[in-house]
């Protein structure tokens, strides 16, 4: 190139997809149960467009009861782990999430649980 003063131009283009997760079912309705009895539902988490391994964590809602006390009646478990693992063909594994609810005081709740990866997506 030093002997030839010609300039070369290289143009690159690409598409970057943000990672996202889908849920099956898309919402969860837990059955009413007597006080201090646990109810549970299972959600499949379907990761899409992840380019590296990541781990999912959950922010659970804190609820305020009629008497002013605050409680966390929900819990989650990932029986097969919380890691999103990429396969050699570029796909990601699905994750199973068990959502449980138990309360010693009467309550109902309609709201959201926040599922977050390591990069706060």
């Amino acid at each position: 190139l030093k002997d030839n003063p010609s300039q070369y131009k290289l143009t690159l283009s690409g598409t970057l997809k943000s990672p996202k997760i889908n849920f099956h079912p898309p919402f969860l309705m837990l059955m009413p149960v007597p006080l201090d009895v646990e109810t549970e539902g299972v959600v499949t988490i379907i990761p899409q467009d992840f380019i590296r391994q990541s781990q999912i964590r959950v922010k659970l809602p804190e609820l305020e009861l009629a008497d002013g006390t605050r409680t966390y009646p929900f819990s989650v478990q990932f029986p097969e782990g919380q890691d999103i693992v990429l396969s050699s063909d570029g796909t990601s594994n699905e994750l199973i999430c068990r959502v449980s609810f138990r309360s010693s005081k009467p309550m109902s709740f309609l709201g959201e649980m926040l599922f977050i990866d390591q990069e706060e997506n």
Side-chain angles (χ1 to χ4, degrees):
L1 290 177
K2 289 182 181 181
D3 295 338
N4 186 354
S6 299
Q7 294 184 356
Y8 295 93
K9 183 177 181 180
L10 179 63
T11 303
L12 301 174
S13 65
T15 303
L16 178 64
K17 295 182 179 182
S18 296
K20 61 184 175 181
I21 53 177
N22 290 319
F23 299 91
H24 182 75
F27 66 91
L28 185 62
M29 185 181 308
L30 300 175
M31 297 301 297
V33 292
L35 296 178
D36 270 332
V37 173
E38 186 173 88
T39 183
E40 179 180 275
V42 175
V43 175
T44 302
I45 298 172
I46 307 160
Q48 293 182 324
D49 300 325
F50 279 78
I51 58 173
R52 65 181 64 89
Q53 183 172 329
S54 191
Q55 188 175 71
I56 296 294
R57 61 185 174 90
V58 184
K59 286 188 180 179
L60 298 173
E62 179 185 35
L63 306 179
E64 185 173 344
L65 301 176
D67 64 4
T69 59
R70 302 189 74 73
T71 183
Y72 289 91
F74 293 96
S75 63
V76 295
Q77 293 180 331
F78 293 88
E80 299 169 9
Q82 295 172 244
D83 293 331
I84 296 173
V85 180
L86 302 177
S87 302
S88 59
D89 63 358
T91 60
S92 303
N93 61 316
E94 294 182 352
L95 304 174
I96 302 298
C97 179
R98 284 198 171 97
V99 178
S100 302
F101 173 88
R102 178 190 300 249
S103 178
S104 59
K105 304 220 175 161
M107 71 167 51
S108 63
F109 172 75
L110 173 64
E112 298 177 352
M113 291 180 177
L114 190 58
F115 291 77
I116 306 167
D117 70 10
Q118 287 175 227
E119 298 178 10
E120 300 294 319
N121 293 311

